[in-house]
Amino acid sequence: MVILKKGLILAGLTVLVVLMMAAILEQLNDLMKPVMDSVSIQRTAPLVLDAGHGGEDGGAVSLTGVPESQINLAIVLKLRDILGLYGVDPVVLREDDVSLHDEGASTLREKKRSDLQNRVSAVEEVEGGTLISIHQNTYTSSRYRGSHVFYAPTQGSQPLAGHIQACIKASLQPENDRAVKEIPSSVYLMSHITCPAVLIECGFLTNPEEEALLRDKDYQRQLSAVIAAGWLTAP
């Protein structure tokens, strides 16, 4: 009888997990449907996901004191998981809130430079890859909000940025009329790689409403789904 009860409990848990996964997939399909309906999946090339900053370099700090690095990582991990449902296994540069610097780096400046150099090396090792780097924006005024996609000065970067920006507007931020821009040469990672690359400023940590959204797991999942759809359907 004990074995039978354990078997029934295990079977019940299995059914529950299956039902939960089905619900998640249905939600993701609803989020990605506006983009996926019009264009078939195009992308098969390797993808690299970069969660900006990490460790001692937390990047910007949100209005409620959350480091940008943690929000970047949360979005990247959700983006990885969603892409996995579509058969994409991206390379993730960091899966924890850590810096990727060499052990010999001691000062914060040395660690940051070593971290960026190691990220460049990791990206360049992926043959035929494309980079998506996730960041958060800030501004002196709290009224600005909305995602903004930037592109590296490499072949294929601008069309990908434009497509992802259009997907964000179509599926998540209909009021967002930002135009994609080339990344300034001062951004080390993007100016030292040779592959197609985009940097997505997901939103403004200085806008109270958007900062709350960017900390919200459901919104992070929605944004990740739209970025995933943008990548999968880019021509």
Side-chain angles (χ1 to χ4, degrees):
M1 289 294 292
V2 174
I3 295 175
L4 179 59
K5 287 182 179 179
K6 286 184 177 180
L8 290 173
I9 292 172
L10 181 60
L13 288 174
T14 301
V15 171
L16 180 60
V17 170
V18 170
L19 290 174
M20 289 176 64
M21 285 302 299
I24 291 171
L25 284 170
E26 184 178 357
Q27 182 184 28
L28 291 176
N29 284 331
D30 287 343
L31 288 169
M32 299 175 81
K33 194 174 188 301
V35 180
M36 303 292 265
D37 273 353
S38 58
V39 185
S40 61
I41 293 177
Q42 301 288 330
R43 294 282 173 168
T44 57
L47 177 64
V48 181
L49 298 178
D50 169 50
H53 306 285
E56 293 177 61
D57 175 21
V61 179
S62 80
L63 293 173
T64 57
V66 180
E68 175 191 353
S69 60
Q70 294 181 10
I71 298 175
N72 296 341
L73 181 61
I75 293 172
V76 160
L77 294 181
K78 289 178 177 61
L79 179 54
R80 176 201 63 187
D81 293 344
I82 291 169
L83 287 167
L85 298 173
Y86 289 83
V88 179
D89 184 19
V91 175
V92 179
L93 295 189
R94 67 177 181 93
E95 298 185 5
D96 299 291
D97 193 16
V98 296
S99 170
L100 303 179
H101 63 266
D102 293 331
E103 291 184 4
S106 56
T107 67
L108 180 58
R109 183 175 181 179
E110 289 174 347
K111 290 177 180 179
K112 187 169 183 177
R113 182 169 182 82
S114 174
D115 169 273
L116 290 171
Q117 290 173 338
N118 287 337
R119 292 185 199 227
V120 169
S121 297
V123 173
E124 291 293 281
E125 286 176 2
V126 180
E127 186 176 355
T130 295
L131 172 65
I132 295 179
S133 185
I134 299 296
H135 286 259
Q136 309 303 317
N137 220 335
T138 60
Y139 198 69
T140 52
S141 171
S142 63
R143 69 187 181 92
Y144 292 101
R145 63 182 298 164
S147 302
H148 198 178
V149 186
F150 294 79
Y151 57 90
T154 50
Q155 186 175 2
S157 298
Q158 186 174 1
L160 175 60
H163 184 68
I164 293 176
Q165 184 78 53
C167 290
I168 292 172
K169 177 179 175 61
S171 301
L172 193 63
Q173 301 171 10
E175 76 291 346
N176 188 340
D177 293 321
R178 297 182 184 278
V180 297
K181 291 184 178 180
E182 183 172 331
I183 297 170
S185 59
S186 58
V187 179
Y188 185 93
L189 176 60
M190 294 293 175
S191 62
H192 284 77
I193 57 174
T194 57
C195 67
V198 298
L199 185 152
I200 304 174
E201 298 279 9
C202 296
F204 284 81
L205 297 178
T206 43
N207 179 284
E209 292 79 14
E210 191 158 64
E211 188 260 3
L213 286 174
L214 292 167
R215 289 187 290 105
D216 182 78
K217 292 181 180 179
D218 287 338
Y219 182 78
Q220 291 172 357
R221 192 173 292 109
Q222 291 174 25
L223 181 59
S224 298
V226 174
I227 295 171
W231 159 255
L232 290 168
T233 62

